[in-house]
Amino acid sequence: APALQQLSSLTSLDLIWNRIGPQGIRMLAPAFQHLPSLTHLNLSHTQIELEGMKSLASISQHLTSLTSLDLSDNNIGVEEIYILAALLE
């Protein structure tokens, strides 16, 4: 994750099929704060679950340029949808 902090002009990050899970998102979340130009984030098939969604929500105020977020095939339920809605506000 520290390497991501050096990529402040990164606009697209594709982590599809990297089964990072909620712990991986928790570890990556601080690095996302240093990516102000990030517009596309693909987290499909990463098994992020509820805790991963909470980690994303906790840093959502730093993802101001994000226009595309792919969370497909992550076994997202109702609670995760509410967290996602808060993330998109």
Side-chain angles (χ1 to χ4, degrees):
L4 279 177
Q5 295 178 9
Q6 306 300 316
L7 302 172
S8 61
S9 61
L10 186 71
T11 59
S12 182
L13 182 59
D14 187 344
L15 296 172
I16 188 172
W17 289 105
N18 284 283
R19 298 177 185 210
I20 56 179
Q23 294 147 338
I25 289 294
R26 192 174 324 113
M27 290 172 45
L28 288 171
F32 290 151
Q33 296 178 33
H34 302 281
L35 302 175
S37 301
L38 190 65
T39 58
H40 302 286
L41 180 57
N42 188 341
L43 296 172
S44 63
H45 301 276
T46 54
Q47 301 177 341
I48 62 172
E49 303 171 350
L50 177 59
E51 291 306 313
M53 291 294 286
K54 288 179 180 178
S55 294
L56 277 179
S58 73
I59 53 96
S60 63
Q61 70 274 13
H62 299 285
L63 300 173
T64 57
S65 297
L66 196 65
T67 58
S68 173
L69 176 61
D70 188 343
L71 296 168
S72 59
D73 296 306
N74 273 299
N75 196 23
I76 293 174
V78 173
E79 193 169 353
E80 289 88 345
I81 295 297
Y82 284 117
I83 292 170
L84 179 60
L87 175 71
L88 297 175
E89 288 183 346

